[in-house]
Every structure is written in C-alpha cells, then in structure tokens.
C-alpha cells in the first residue's frame, strides 16, 4: 500500500471512529434525542469535505458505523459534490485548471 493509500485508509478509519464516538455519547439519551444530537453535532462541527467523505463511506460500508449514526444520517447535511464542499470553504480550482487561461 502506498503512502497515499495508507493516508486515505487512516482518514476513513478516523471518520468512522469519530462518528461512532459521537453516537456512543448520545446512546445515553432517548433514541430520537440521540439521533438529533448526532446529526446536529456532525452538521455543526464537521466541515463539508468531512461530511462528503462520511457519506461516501456510509454509502459503501455502512456496517462500520454505529446504528445511531446510520439513523442520524437522514438529518445530516449532504454536500452535493466535492467541488461544492471545497467551494463552501473558499477553495476553488486555479483558473488554468478550469480552462479560463489557456495552457502555455
């Protein structure tokens, strides 16, 4: 496995672990309050790129997630595209990459 593949794998594991830790806290609450709490926490504290990666994982391997995370996913804001996630943080492609400036 290359360094990049190791980094991607570790990022995925971290997102799953973080989401499951949030769920662990909210298991002490009534179920609906727990679902809402998990969703509110992720919506408030996770940037759009993290939420995009979260949904990529959830769409591919949901069994890694606590059931409360899966239930809360319906209330978590899903960024539509990677570009929208980046743009919401103020990142954009360089003009040359967008084709606005012809390459030399």
């Amino acid at each position: 496995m290359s360094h990049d593949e190791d980094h991607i794998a570790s990022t995925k594991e971290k997102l799953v672990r973080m989401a499951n830790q949030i769920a662990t806290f909210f298991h002490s609450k009534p179920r609906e309050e727990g679902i809402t709490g998990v969703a509110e926490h992720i919506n408030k504290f996770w940037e759009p790129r993290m939420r995009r990666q979260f949904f990529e994982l959830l769409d591919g391997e949901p069994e890694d997630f606590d059931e409360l995370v899966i239930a809360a996913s319906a209330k978590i804001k899903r960024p539509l595209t990677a570009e929208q996630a980046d743009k919401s943080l103020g990142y954009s492609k360089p003009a040359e990459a967008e084709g606005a400036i012809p390459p030399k």
Side-chain angles (χ1 to χ4, degrees):
M1 200 181 278
S2 72
H3 173 71
D4 288 342
E5 290 171 331
D6 287 340
H7 177 73
I8 290 168
S10 67
T11 299
K12 290 177 181 180
E13 290 168 3
K14 286 177 188 175
L15 286 174
V16 170
R17 186 176 68 244
M18 290 186 328
N20 289 343
Q21 286 175 330
I22 295 164
T24 297
F25 172 81
F26 283 104
H27 272 294
S28 65
K29 309 286 185 187
R31 180 157 174 83
E32 286 305 313
E33 187 178 336
I35 290 170
T36 299
V38 169
E40 286 178 353
H41 182 92
I42 290 174
N43 284 329
K44 185 174 182 179
F45 295 107
W46 287 24
E47 64 162 13
R49 289 181 297 177
M50 289 174 69
R51 286 185 277 114
R52 180 180 52 81
Q53 291 173 336
F54 164 77
F55 280 109
E56 288 172 359
L57 293 169
L58 192 64
D59 292 344
E61 300 175 28
E63 63 274 0
D64 293 339
F65 288 99
D66 184 287
E67 61 88 18
L68 200 58
V69 174
I70 295 170
S73 67
K75 296 183 177 191
I76 297 171
K77 298 175 192 169
R78 182 188 287 252
L80 298 178
T81 66
E83 291 78 23
Q84 287 176 325
D86 288 342
K87 189 174 183 179
S88 71
L89 294 170
Y91 298 117
S92 62
K93 293 180 184 177
E96 185 175 314
E98 293 176 0
I101 300 172
K104 295 179 181 177

